[in-house]
Amino acid sequence: MTNAQIAAAFDEIADILEFQGANPFRVRAYRNASRTLGDFGESIEALVHEGRDLTEIQGIGEDLAGKIETLVKTGSLPQLVDLRAQVPKTVLALMRIPGLGPKKAAALYRELSIKDLDMLKAACEAHKVRELKGFGEKTEETILKGLSLAAESQKRIYWAAADEYAQALLKHMRQCKGIEQMEVGGSYRRGKDTVGDLDLLVVSSDVAAVMDRFGAFSGVAEVLARGETKMVVRLDTGLQVDLRVVPAESFGAALQYFTGSKQHNIVLRGRAKDRGLKVSEWGVFRGEKYIGGRTEEEVYKLLDLPWIPPELREARQEFEWAESGQIPELIEVADIQGDLHMHTNQTDGAATLEEMVEAAKKRGLKYIAITDHSKRVTMANGLDGARLRRQWAEIDKLNDRVKGIKVLKGVEVDILEKGGLDLADDVLAEADWVVASLHYGQNQPREKITKRLLGALENPHVSAIGHPTGRLLERRSGYDVDLDAVFAAAKEHKKILELNANPARLDLDDVACAAAKEHGIPIVISTDAHSTQGLETIRYGVLQARRAGLTKEDVVNTRPWSGVMRLIGRK
DNA sequence: GCCGTTTTCGGCCCGACTGTTTTCAGTCG
């Protein structure tokens, strides 16, 4: 049983309990546990088998520890089976409609026997919903609208796409007079791989002007709310954008608050309470008295903490680090010296070898590896040994005439379905850098996938594993692989794991990267560029690395190539 | 359900906005 499966079970329990109107703190305990386990760096199943004390995990007490054990050992949980019998799964979907929480959803189920979204739609159209106590005409409309938008509004967008929106929004708002300070917060500011909505924070004395300007942003389809300090719009693409206008003395507190994460804020506010203080988006208060909040630094300082970089604010280890003065000095884009994964038009890339080299040089890179696909990747016109050697001869010639950048002879060799690699060892032995990646047979069972990856890690010519989990954000979760085994093998054979910077991949993700670091495994951040513009994506990878708490030292391509060579045992 | 230099019970972050009310519950972030 994977951590994700255990997390999902607890989340489902939380959903049902919430629907049933259980103690909200009990619900939260399940949600917290779900989150903690989902983010956990080690295999919970393994911990159980080792007989470790699970209550040492923050947020796991006697009860939940017992439930985890039951889940791992029997594959199911009697409590969850019972709960499922009480509330049909389709009923829980009601709570996913914006505006419908547990109370209203329960009322619909109880009073009108509404069991799924189709019945909800019919009831709204028959105007049965507005007759319920606490419901009205507007609620009915909101539900109908929510039903038609449900799929769209739940979709999260890549961070890279959110960045485009954010930059366009800031540019639009800068035309508005009287704005003193402005920042986009939320999961965007935390650099999360996908973003659900945008939060814009503004300091201005003319709230009405700011809100009018905000409403005029291109693509605004609907104003969902407009109050004295807060306004919410939905763009025609379904993206929701929140605006808050606050006074200057609250800017730091509001930015802190709107950056989140929610979990981070709960911890922070609990900390304030311990000190007899109160933190809200308006500032830090002792009783009624404002004592600070102009900057984020001020907010953290009043709680005896150094400023914490937004990327770390997930209520994972950041408070521990902050208290002991151990916040890592996070890697920056400027630290990157080389890019060790990219393609040319010899396979499925768009640019020639020369064009890629020129673009990389322009970016200030000191070295790059050309890593086209091997022959198994027929769709991409993958290279066999002979074609690859011809490309390498080209690279030799290129290195003779191009100065200021070193071009390495590399390959992205396919890890075959039956195990083993797609190129002979004598070919691989001539490469400077070998990325081994798994592209086919992604639906194989866990044991088989893991075995294939371990086989690649054992090959002496392999330098790194490319996009180690195969996930595609919002599309597929990645193949079923025993990452602990992969980490152990990478450590044993002194291999590197990739953080693929493609905004749709970001693989390894932040949590896995942090776990790899714990295991002492070096990470390479690579663009996997298929065009010259693809080289720009490095910043998405660096952002994800920052979320993992990685420093310059943890990432191999911050070193000169000679340093990388030593690491992979080449002369 | 978790947690503890105000410990084994009684807390658990805080506020804005809307709609349905006529002072507030529910939802959201």
Side-chain angles (χ1 to χ4, degrees), chain A residues 23 26 28 59 61 99 101 104 136 139 226 229-230 257 266 269 273 278:
Chain A
N23 177 349
R26 187 174 167 222
R28 185 199 282 177
K104 284 207 158 77
T139 313
R226 179 169 171 160
T229 65
K230 178 179 167 178
Y257 171 66
I266 287 175
R269 289 173 174 202
K273 203 159 224 186
K278 184 185 73 171

Short mmCIF file of all heavy atoms in Angstrom, two decimals, chain A residues 23 26 28 59 61 99 101 104 136 139 226 229-230 257 266 269 273 278, chain B residues 1-3 11-21 26-29:
data_model
loop_
_atom_site.label_atom_id
_atom_site.label_comp_id
_atom_site.label_asym_id
_atom_site.label_seq_id
_atom_site.Cartn_x
_atom_site.Cartn_y
_atom_site.Cartn_z
N ASN A 23 -17.51 16.61 14.41
CA ASN A 23 -16.64 17.64 14.99
C ASN A 23 -15.61 18.10 13.95
O ASN A 23 -14.81 17.30 13.48
CB ASN A 23 -15.95 17.02 16.22
CG ASN A 23 -14.96 17.97 16.86
OD1 ASN A 23 -14.63 19.02 16.30
ND2 ASN A 23 -14.49 17.62 18.04
N ARG A 26 -12.10 17.06 14.42
CA ARG A 26 -11.86 15.65 14.14
C ARG A 26 -11.65 15.48 12.63
O ARG A 26 -10.73 14.78 12.19
CB ARG A 26 -13.07 14.84 14.61
CG ARG A 26 -12.87 13.36 14.52
CD ARG A 26 -14.04 12.61 15.14
NE ARG A 26 -13.97 11.21 14.78
CZ ARG A 26 -15.01 10.47 14.42
NH1 ARG A 26 -16.22 11.00 14.38
NH2 ARG A 26 -14.85 9.21 14.10
N ARG A 28 -10.53 17.73 10.69
CA ARG A 28 -9.23 18.31 10.38
C ARG A 28 -8.10 17.34 10.71
O ARG A 28 -7.09 17.26 10.00
CB ARG A 28 -9.02 19.61 11.15
CG ARG A 28 -7.73 20.31 10.75
CD ARG A 28 -7.28 21.31 11.77
NE ARG A 28 -8.03 22.55 11.68
CZ ARG A 28 -7.85 23.56 12.52
NH1 ARG A 28 -6.96 23.48 13.50
NH2 ARG A 28 -8.54 24.66 12.39
N GLY A 59 0.96 14.65 14.16
CA GLY A 59 -0.44 14.56 13.75
C GLY A 59 -1.00 13.14 13.73
O GLY A 59 -2.16 12.94 13.44
N GLY A 61 -1.75 10.04 16.12
CA GLY A 61 -1.84 9.58 17.50
C GLY A 61 -2.08 8.09 17.54
O GLY A 61 -1.96 7.39 16.52
N GLY A 99 -20.04 26.76 -3.45
CA GLY A 99 -21.21 27.28 -2.74
C GLY A 99 -21.93 26.21 -1.94
O GLY A 99 -22.75 26.53 -1.10
N GLY A 101 -21.42 23.49 0.77
CA GLY A 101 -20.54 22.89 1.76
C GLY A 101 -21.23 21.68 2.36
O GLY A 101 -22.28 21.25 1.86
N LYS A 104 -25.16 22.36 3.53
CA LYS A 104 -26.15 22.47 2.46
C LYS A 104 -26.28 21.15 1.70
O LYS A 104 -27.38 20.73 1.35
CB LYS A 104 -25.75 23.60 1.49
CG LYS A 104 -26.03 24.99 2.05
CD LYS A 104 -26.27 25.99 0.92
CE LYS A 104 -27.05 27.21 1.37
NZ LYS A 104 -26.23 28.17 2.11
N GLY A 136 -32.42 29.65 -1.32
CA GLY A 136 -33.27 30.63 -1.97
C GLY A 136 -33.04 30.61 -3.46
O GLY A 136 -32.33 29.73 -3.99
N THR A 139 -29.30 30.91 -4.44
CA THR A 139 -28.55 29.68 -4.18
C THR A 139 -28.78 28.68 -5.30
O THR A 139 -27.84 28.03 -5.78
CB THR A 139 -29.00 29.06 -2.84
OG1 THR A 139 -29.05 30.09 -1.86
CG2 THR A 139 -28.04 27.99 -2.40
N ARG A 226 -17.98 41.41 -4.80
CA ARG A 226 -17.31 42.70 -4.67
C ARG A 226 -17.75 43.33 -3.36
O ARG A 226 -18.91 43.72 -3.20
CB ARG A 226 -17.64 43.61 -5.85
CG ARG A 226 -16.97 44.98 -5.72
CD ARG A 226 -17.06 45.80 -6.99
NE ARG A 226 -16.60 47.17 -6.74
CZ ARG A 226 -16.20 48.00 -7.69
NH1 ARG A 226 -16.22 47.65 -8.95
NH2 ARG A 226 -15.81 49.21 -7.38
N THR A 229 -13.29 45.40 0.70
CA THR A 229 -11.85 45.20 0.54
C THR A 229 -11.54 44.05 -0.40
O THR A 229 -10.41 43.86 -0.79
CB THR A 229 -11.19 44.86 1.90
OG1 THR A 229 -11.69 43.60 2.35
CG2 THR A 229 -11.47 45.92 2.93
N LYS A 230 -12.55 43.27 -0.73
CA LYS A 230 -12.30 42.04 -1.47
C LYS A 230 -13.18 41.97 -2.72
O LYS A 230 -14.34 42.35 -2.68
CB LYS A 230 -12.62 40.86 -0.55
CG LYS A 230 -12.46 39.51 -1.20
CD LYS A 230 -12.78 38.41 -0.20
CE LYS A 230 -12.92 37.08 -0.92
NZ LYS A 230 -13.18 35.98 0.00
N TYR A 257 -0.54 36.25 4.75
CA TYR A 257 -1.78 35.49 4.84
C TYR A 257 -2.18 34.91 3.48
O TYR A 257 -2.52 33.74 3.36
CB TYR A 257 -2.90 36.37 5.40
CG TYR A 257 -4.24 35.70 5.30
CD1 TYR A 257 -4.51 34.55 6.02
CD2 TYR A 257 -5.21 36.19 4.44
CE1 TYR A 257 -5.71 33.91 5.91
CE2 TYR A 257 -6.43 35.56 4.32
CZ TYR A 257 -6.67 34.41 5.05
OH TYR A 257 -7.86 33.77 4.92
N ILE A 266 -2.06 28.17 9.71
CA ILE A 266 -2.64 27.62 10.93
C ILE A 266 -1.55 27.46 11.99
O ILE A 266 -1.72 27.83 13.15
CB ILE A 266 -3.36 26.28 10.65
CG1 ILE A 266 -4.67 26.56 9.88
CG2 ILE A 266 -3.66 25.54 11.94
CD1 ILE A 266 -5.41 25.34 9.42
N ARG A 269 -0.46 30.99 13.21
CA ARG A 269 -1.42 31.65 14.09
C ARG A 269 -1.50 30.95 15.45
O ARG A 269 -1.73 31.59 16.47
CB ARG A 269 -2.79 31.70 13.41
CG ARG A 269 -2.76 32.69 12.26
CD ARG A 269 -4.02 32.70 11.44
NE ARG A 269 -3.93 33.79 10.46
CZ ARG A 269 -4.96 34.34 9.87
NH1 ARG A 269 -6.18 33.92 10.14
NH2 ARG A 269 -4.80 35.32 9.02
N LYS A 273 -0.83 32.68 19.08
CA LYS A 273 -1.68 32.48 20.25
C LYS A 273 -0.84 32.10 21.47
O LYS A 273 -1.08 32.61 22.57
CB LYS A 273 -2.69 31.37 19.94
CG LYS A 273 -3.91 31.44 20.81
CD LYS A 273 -5.06 30.70 20.16
CE LYS A 273 -6.33 31.52 20.29
NZ LYS A 273 -7.50 30.81 19.81
N LYS A 278 -2.28 37.84 18.26
CA LYS A 278 -3.22 37.38 17.25
C LYS A 278 -2.71 37.85 15.89
O LYS A 278 -2.34 39.01 15.73
CB LYS A 278 -4.61 37.97 17.52
CG LYS A 278 -5.66 37.47 16.57
CD LYS A 278 -6.98 38.17 16.79
CE LYS A 278 -6.93 39.60 16.29
NZ LYS A 278 -8.24 40.27 16.29
P DG B 1 -11.95 9.13 16.16
OP1 DG B 1 -11.83 8.14 15.22
OP2 DG B 1 -12.91 9.60 17.05
"O5'" DG B 1 -10.81 10.25 16.02
"C5'" DG B 1 -10.11 10.30 14.81
"C4'" DG B 1 -8.86 11.11 15.02
"O4'" DG B 1 -9.23 12.49 15.29
"C3'" DG B 1 -8.01 10.66 16.21
"O3'" DG B 1 -6.65 10.79 15.80
"C2'" DG B 1 -8.39 11.62 17.32
"C1'" DG B 1 -8.72 12.89 16.56
N9 DG B 1 -9.76 13.73 17.18
C8 DG B 1 -11.00 13.36 17.59
N7 DG B 1 -11.69 14.35 18.11
C5 DG B 1 -10.82 15.44 18.03
C6 DG B 1 -10.99 16.79 18.44
O6 DG B 1 -11.98 17.30 18.97
N1 DG B 1 -9.86 17.56 18.17
C2 DG B 1 -8.73 17.09 17.58
N2 DG B 1 -7.74 17.96 17.39
N3 DG B 1 -8.55 15.83 17.19
C4 DG B 1 -9.63 15.07 17.45
P DC B 2 -5.44 10.50 16.83
OP1 DC B 2 -4.43 9.75 16.08
OP2 DC B 2 -5.95 9.98 18.11
"O5'" DC B 2 -4.92 12.00 17.04
"C5'" DC B 2 -4.54 12.76 15.91
"C4'" DC B 2 -3.87 14.06 16.36
"O4'" DC B 2 -4.86 14.91 16.96
"C3'" DC B 2 -2.77 13.84 17.41
"O3'" DC B 2 -1.66 14.64 17.08
"C2'" DC B 2 -3.42 14.27 18.71
"C1'" DC B 2 -4.46 15.30 18.27
N1 DC B 2 -5.69 15.31 19.10
C2 DC B 2 -6.11 16.50 19.70
O2 DC B 2 -5.43 17.52 19.55
N3 DC B 2 -7.25 16.49 20.45
C4 DC B 2 -7.95 15.38 20.58
N4 DC B 2 -9.07 15.42 21.31
C5 DC B 2 -7.55 14.16 19.97
C6 DC B 2 -6.42 14.16 19.24
P DC B 3 -0.30 14.34 17.83
OP1 DC B 3 0.77 14.50 16.84
OP2 DC B 3 -0.43 13.08 18.60
"O5'" DC B 3 -0.24 15.52 18.89
"C5'" DC B 3 -0.58 16.85 18.53
"C4'" DC B 3 -0.64 17.68 19.79
"O4'" DC B 3 -1.97 17.59 20.35
"C3'" DC B 3 0.32 17.20 20.87
"O3'" DC B 3 1.20 18.26 21.23
"C2'" DC B 3 -0.56 16.77 22.03
"C1'" DC B 3 -1.88 17.46 21.75
N1 DC B 3 -3.07 16.69 22.18
C2 DC B 3 -4.12 17.40 22.79
O2 DC B 3 -4.02 18.62 22.95
N3 DC B 3 -5.22 16.72 23.19
C4 DC B 3 -5.29 15.40 23.00
N4 DC B 3 -6.40 14.77 23.41
C5 DC B 3 -4.24 14.67 22.39
C6 DC B 3 -3.14 15.35 21.99
P DG B 11 -12.02 25.60 26.86
OP1 DG B 11 -12.06 26.37 28.10
OP2 DG B 11 -13.25 25.07 26.25
"O5'" DG B 11 -11.25 26.49 25.77
"C5'" DG B 11 -11.19 26.04 24.42
"C4'" DG B 11 -9.75 25.73 24.06
"O4'" DG B 11 -9.48 24.38 24.46
"C3'" DG B 11 -9.51 25.78 22.56
"O3'" DG B 11 -8.92 27.03 22.25
"C2'" DG B 11 -8.55 24.65 22.30
"C1'" DG B 11 -8.70 23.72 23.49
N9 DG B 11 -9.37 22.46 23.15
C8 DG B 11 -10.67 22.11 23.40
N7 DG B 11 -10.96 20.90 23.01
C5 DG B 11 -9.77 20.42 22.45
C6 DG B 11 -9.48 19.17 21.86
O6 DG B 11 -10.21 18.21 21.71
N1 DG B 11 -8.16 19.13 21.42
C2 DG B 11 -7.24 20.14 21.55
N2 DG B 11 -6.02 19.92 21.07
N3 DG B 11 -7.51 21.31 22.11
C4 DG B 11 -8.79 21.38 22.53
P DC B 12 -9.27 27.65 20.80
OP1 DC B 12 -8.57 28.95 20.73
OP2 DC B 12 -10.73 27.57 20.60
"O5'" DC B 12 -8.58 26.63 19.78
"C5'" DC B 12 -7.16 26.51 19.77
"C4'" DC B 12 -6.79 25.42 18.81
"O4'" DC B 12 -7.36 24.17 19.28
"C3'" DC B 12 -7.36 25.65 17.41
"O3'" DC B 12 -6.35 25.54 16.44
"C2'" DC B 12 -8.41 24.56 17.24
"C1'" DC B 12 -7.90 23.48 18.18
N1 DC B 12 -9.01 22.60 18.64
C2 DC B 12 -8.89 21.21 18.46
O2 DC B 12 -7.86 20.76 17.98
N3 DC B 12 -9.91 20.42 18.85
C4 DC B 12 -11.01 20.95 19.38
N4 DC B 12 -11.99 20.13 19.75
C5 DC B 12 -11.14 22.36 19.58
C6 DC B 12 -10.13 23.14 19.19
P DC B 13 -6.58 26.23 15.00
OP1 DC B 13 -7.93 25.96 14.52
OP2 DC B 13 -5.39 25.81 14.24
"O5'" DC B 13 -6.48 27.79 15.33
"C5'" DC B 13 -5.20 28.40 15.45
"C4'" DC B 13 -5.24 29.76 14.83
"O4'" DC B 13 -5.41 29.63 13.41
"C3'" DC B 13 -6.41 30.59 15.33
"O3'" DC B 13 -5.95 31.92 15.50
"C2'" DC B 13 -7.44 30.51 14.21
"C1'" DC B 13 -6.55 30.38 12.98
N1 DC B 13 -7.14 29.64 11.85
C2 DC B 13 -6.96 30.16 10.56
O2 DC B 13 -6.36 31.22 10.43
N3 DC B 13 -7.49 29.48 9.51
C4 DC B 13 -8.13 28.34 9.70
N4 DC B 13 -8.61 27.71 8.64
C5 DC B 13 -8.31 27.80 10.99
C6 DC B 13 -7.81 28.46 12.03
P DC B 14 -6.88 33.01 16.18
OP1 DC B 14 -5.98 33.98 16.84
OP2 DC B 14 -7.97 32.35 16.92
"O5'" DC B 14 -7.52 33.73 14.93
"C5'" DC B 14 -6.68 34.41 14.00
"C4'" DC B 14 -7.51 34.92 12.87
"O4'" DC B 14 -7.93 33.80 12.05
"C3'" DC B 14 -8.80 35.64 13.29
"O3'" DC B 14 -8.65 36.99 12.98
"C2'" DC B 14 -9.91 34.95 12.50
"C1'" DC B 14 -9.15 34.16 11.44
N1 DC B 14 -9.78 32.91 10.98
C2 DC B 14 -9.94 32.71 9.60
O2 DC B 14 -9.57 33.58 8.82
N3 DC B 14 -10.50 31.55 9.17
C4 DC B 14 -10.88 30.64 10.06
N4 DC B 14 -11.43 29.51 9.58
C5 DC B 14 -10.72 30.81 11.45
C6 DC B 14 -10.17 31.96 11.87
P DG B 15 -9.81 38.03 13.34
OP1 DG B 15 -9.15 39.27 13.79
OP2 DG B 15 -10.83 37.37 14.18
"O5'" DG B 15 -10.45 38.31 11.92
"C5'" DG B 15 -9.60 38.76 10.88
"C4'" DG B 15 -10.31 38.63 9.56
"O4'" DG B 15 -10.62 37.23 9.31
"C3'" DG B 15 -11.64 39.39 9.46
"O3'" DG B 15 -11.60 40.17 8.30
"C2'" DG B 15 -12.69 38.28 9.39
"C1'" DG B 15 -11.91 37.15 8.72
N9 DG B 15 -12.43 35.83 8.97
C8 DG B 15 -12.75 35.25 10.16
N7 DG B 15 -13.21 34.03 10.05
C5 DG B 15 -13.21 33.79 8.68
C6 DG B 15 -13.61 32.65 7.95
O6 DG B 15 -14.06 31.59 8.37
N1 DG B 15 -13.44 32.83 6.58
C2 DG B 15 -12.95 33.97 6.00
N2 DG B 15 -12.86 33.96 4.68
N3 DG B 15 -12.58 35.05 6.68
C4 DG B 15 -12.73 34.89 8.00
P DA B 16 -12.71 41.23 7.98
OP1 DA B 16 -12.05 42.53 7.80
OP2 DA B 16 -13.85 41.09 8.91
"O5'" DA B 16 -13.19 40.72 6.56
"C5'" DA B 16 -12.22 40.58 5.53
"C4'" DA B 16 -12.92 40.15 4.26
"O4'" DA B 16 -13.31 38.76 4.40
"C3'" DA B 16 -14.20 40.92 3.97
"O3'" DA B 16 -14.25 41.21 2.58
"C2'" DA B 16 -15.32 40.00 4.42
"C1'" DA B 16 -14.71 38.60 4.27
N9 DA B 16 -15.14 37.66 5.31
C8 DA B 16 -15.14 37.86 6.65
N7 DA B 16 -15.57 36.83 7.35
C5 DA B 16 -15.87 35.89 6.38
C6 DA B 16 -16.38 34.57 6.46
N6 DA B 16 -16.67 33.96 7.61
N1 DA B 16 -16.57 33.89 5.32
C2 DA B 16 -16.27 34.50 4.16
N3 DA B 16 -15.79 35.74 3.95
C4 DA B 16 -15.62 36.38 5.12
P DC B 17 -15.37 42.17 2.00
OP1 DC B 17 -14.80 42.87 0.84
OP2 DC B 17 -15.98 42.93 3.11
"O5'" DC B 17 -16.44 41.11 1.49
"C5'" DC B 17 -16.03 40.14 0.54
"C4'" DC B 17 -17.18 39.19 0.29
"O4'" DC B 17 -17.34 38.32 1.42
"C3'" DC B 17 -18.53 39.88 0.08
"O3'" DC B 17 -19.02 39.51 -1.19
"C2'" DC B 17 -19.39 39.39 1.23
"C1'" DC B 17 -18.70 38.09 1.65
N1 DC B 17 -18.85 37.71 3.08
C2 DC B 17 -19.26 36.42 3.42
O2 DC B 17 -19.51 35.61 2.52
N3 DC B 17 -19.38 36.08 4.74
C4 DC B 17 -19.11 36.98 5.67
N4 DC B 17 -19.23 36.59 6.94
C5 DC B 17 -18.68 38.30 5.34
C6 DC B 17 -18.57 38.63 4.05
P DT B 18 -20.35 40.16 -1.74
OP1 DT B 18 -20.16 40.39 -3.18
OP2 DT B 18 -20.81 41.25 -0.86
"O5'" DT B 18 -21.35 38.94 -1.54
"C5'" DT B 18 -20.95 37.65 -2.00
"C4'" DT B 18 -22.04 36.66 -1.70
"O4'" DT B 18 -21.99 36.29 -0.30
"C3'" DT B 18 -23.45 37.18 -1.97
"O3'" DT B 18 -24.12 36.25 -2.80
"C2'" DT B 18 -24.10 37.31 -0.59
"C1'" DT B 18 -23.29 36.34 0.26
N1 DT B 18 -23.09 36.73 1.69
C2 DT B 18 -23.29 35.79 2.68
O2 DT B 18 -23.64 34.65 2.45
N3 DT B 18 -23.05 36.22 3.95
C4 DT B 18 -22.65 37.49 4.34
O4 DT B 18 -22.46 37.76 5.50
C5 DT B 18 -22.48 38.43 3.26
C7 DT B 18 -22.05 39.83 3.57
C6 DT B 18 -22.70 38.02 1.99
P DG B 19 -25.54 36.61 -3.43
OP1 DG B 19 -25.61 35.98 -4.75
OP2 DG B 19 -25.81 38.05 -3.24
"O5'" DG B 19 -26.49 35.80 -2.44
"C5'" DG B 19 -26.22 34.43 -2.21
"C4'" DG B 19 -27.12 33.91 -1.12
"O4'" DG B 19 -26.71 34.47 0.16
"C3'" DG B 19 -28.60 34.31 -1.30
"O3'" DG B 19 -29.38 33.17 -0.99
"C2'" DG B 19 -28.80 35.45 -0.29
"C1'" DG B 19 -27.82 35.08 0.81
N9 DG B 19 -27.27 36.18 1.59
C8 DG B 19 -26.92 37.45 1.17
N7 DG B 19 -26.42 38.20 2.11
C5 DG B 19 -26.45 37.39 3.24
C6 DG B 19 -26.04 37.65 4.58
O6 DG B 19 -25.55 38.68 5.04
N1 DG B 19 -26.23 36.55 5.41
C2 DG B 19 -26.76 35.34 5.00
N2 DG B 19 -26.87 34.40 5.94
N3 DG B 19 -27.15 35.08 3.75
C4 DG B 19 -26.96 36.15 2.94
P DT B 20 -30.89 33.19 -1.26
OP1 DT B 20 -31.23 31.91 -1.89
OP2 DT B 20 -31.29 34.45 -1.90
"O5'" DT B 20 -31.44 33.17 0.23
"C5'" DT B 20 -31.04 32.09 1.08
"C4'" DT B 20 -31.31 32.45 2.52
"O4'" DT B 20 -30.51 33.59 2.90
"C3'" DT B 20 -32.77 32.84 2.80
"O3'" DT B 20 -33.21 32.16 3.96
"C2'" DT B 20 -32.71 34.34 3.02
"C1'" DT B 20 -31.32 34.48 3.64
N1 DT B 20 -30.72 35.83 3.55
C2 DT B 20 -30.01 36.31 4.63
O2 DT B 20 -29.86 35.66 5.65
N3 DT B 20 -29.48 37.56 4.48
C4 DT B 20 -29.59 38.37 3.37
O4 DT B 20 -29.07 39.48 3.36
C5 DT B 20 -30.35 37.83 2.27
C7 DT B 20 -30.53 38.65 1.03
C6 DT B 20 -30.87 36.59 2.41
P DT B 21 -34.67 32.27 4.37
OP1 DT B 21 -35.19 30.91 4.47
OP2 DT B 21 -35.43 33.27 3.57
"O5'" DT B 21 -34.49 32.82 5.84
"C5'" DT B 21 -34.72 34.19 6.11
"C4'" DT B 21 -33.76 34.64 7.17
"O4'" DT B 21 -32.65 35.29 6.55
"C3'" DT B 21 -34.35 35.66 8.11
"O3'" DT B 21 -34.94 35.00 9.23
"C2'" DT B 21 -33.13 36.46 8.52
"C1'" DT B 21 -32.24 36.41 7.29
N1 DT B 21 -32.32 37.62 6.40
C2 DT B 21 -31.67 38.77 6.78
O2 DT B 21 -31.04 38.88 7.82
N3 DT B 21 -31.79 39.82 5.89
C4 DT B 21 -32.49 39.81 4.70
O4 DT B 21 -32.52 40.81 4.00
C5 DT B 21 -33.15 38.58 4.37
C7 DT B 21 -33.92 38.47 3.11
C6 DT B 21 -33.03 37.54 5.22
P DG B 26 -25.45 26.48 9.47
OP1 DG B 26 -26.43 25.40 9.25
OP2 DG B 26 -24.42 26.37 10.52
"O5'" DG B 26 -24.72 26.77 8.09
"C5'" DG B 26 -25.51 27.13 6.95
"C4'" DG B 26 -24.57 27.49 5.82
"O4'" DG B 26 -23.99 28.79 6.06
"C3'" DG B 26 -23.39 26.52 5.65
"O3'" DG B 26 -23.46 25.99 4.34
"C2'" DG B 26 -22.15 27.37 5.88
"C1'" DG B 26 -22.65 28.79 5.62
N9 DG B 26 -21.95 29.86 6.35
C8 DG B 26 -21.67 29.91 7.69
N7 DG B 26 -21.05 30.99 8.04
C5 DG B 26 -20.91 31.71 6.86
C6 DG B 26 -20.31 32.98 6.62
O6 DG B 26 -19.78 33.74 7.42
N1 DG B 26 -20.38 33.33 5.28
C2 DG B 26 -20.96 32.56 4.29
N2 DG B 26 -20.93 33.06 3.07
N3 DG B 26 -21.52 31.38 4.51
C4 DG B 26 -21.46 31.02 5.81
P DT B 27 -22.42 24.98 3.79
OP1 DT B 27 -23.11 24.18 2.78
OP2 DT B 27 -21.76 24.34 4.96
"O5'" DT B 27 -21.35 25.90 3.06
"C5'" DT B 27 -21.79 26.81 2.08
"C4'" DT B 27 -20.63 27.67 1.63
"O4'" DT B 27 -20.31 28.63 2.66
"C3'" DT B 27 -19.34 26.88 1.37
"O3'" DT B 27 -19.01 27.01 0.00
"C2'" DT B 27 -18.30 27.52 2.29
"C1'" DT B 27 -18.92 28.87 2.62
N1 DT B 27 -18.52 29.45 3.93
C2 DT B 27 -18.02 30.73 3.96
O2 DT B 27 -17.88 31.42 2.98
N3 DT B 27 -17.68 31.19 5.21
C4 DT B 27 -17.82 30.51 6.40
O4 DT B 27 -17.49 31.03 7.46
C5 DT B 27 -18.35 29.17 6.29
C7 DT B 27 -18.51 28.34 7.53
C6 DT B 27 -18.67 28.71 5.08
P DC B 28 -17.76 26.26 -0.61
OP1 DC B 28 -18.07 26.03 -2.03
OP2 DC B 28 -17.38 25.14 0.27
"O5'" DC B 28 -16.62 27.36 -0.51
"C5'" DC B 28 -16.84 28.65 -1.07
"C4'" DC B 28 -15.68 29.54 -0.71
"O4'" DC B 28 -15.78 29.93 0.68
"C3'" DC B 28 -14.33 28.84 -0.86
"O3'" DC B 28 -13.62 29.44 -1.92
"C2'" DC B 28 -13.62 29.04 0.48
"C1'" DC B 28 -14.49 30.06 1.20
N1 DC B 28 -14.57 29.84 2.66
C2 DC B 28 -14.25 30.89 3.53
O2 DC B 28 -13.89 31.97 3.05
N3 DC B 28 -14.33 30.69 4.86
C4 DC B 28 -14.71 29.51 5.34
N4 DC B 28 -14.79 29.37 6.66
C5 DC B 28 -15.05 28.42 4.47
C6 DC B 28 -14.96 28.63 3.15
P DG B 29 -12.29 28.77 -2.52
OP1 DG B 29 -12.20 29.12 -3.94
OP2 DG B 29 -12.24 27.36 -2.09
"O5'" DG B 29 -11.15 29.55 -1.74
"C5'" DG B 29 -11.11 30.97 -1.80
"C4'" DG B 29 -10.13 31.46 -0.76
"O4'" DG B 29 -10.70 31.28 0.55
"C3'" DG B 29 -8.80 30.70 -0.76
"O3'" DG B 29 -7.72 31.62 -0.75
"C2'" DG B 29 -8.83 29.91 0.52
"C1'" DG B 29 -9.69 30.80 1.41
N9 DG B 29 -10.28 30.11 2.54
C8 DG B 29 -10.85 28.87 2.58
N7 DG B 29 -11.27 28.53 3.77
C5 DG B 29 -10.96 29.63 4.57
C6 DG B 29 -11.17 29.85 5.95
O6 DG B 29 -11.68 29.10 6.78
N1 DG B 29 -10.70 31.10 6.35
C2 DG B 29 -10.10 32.00 5.52
N2 DG B 29 -9.70 33.15 6.08
N3 DG B 29 -9.90 31.81 4.24
C4 DG B 29 -10.35 30.60 3.81
#
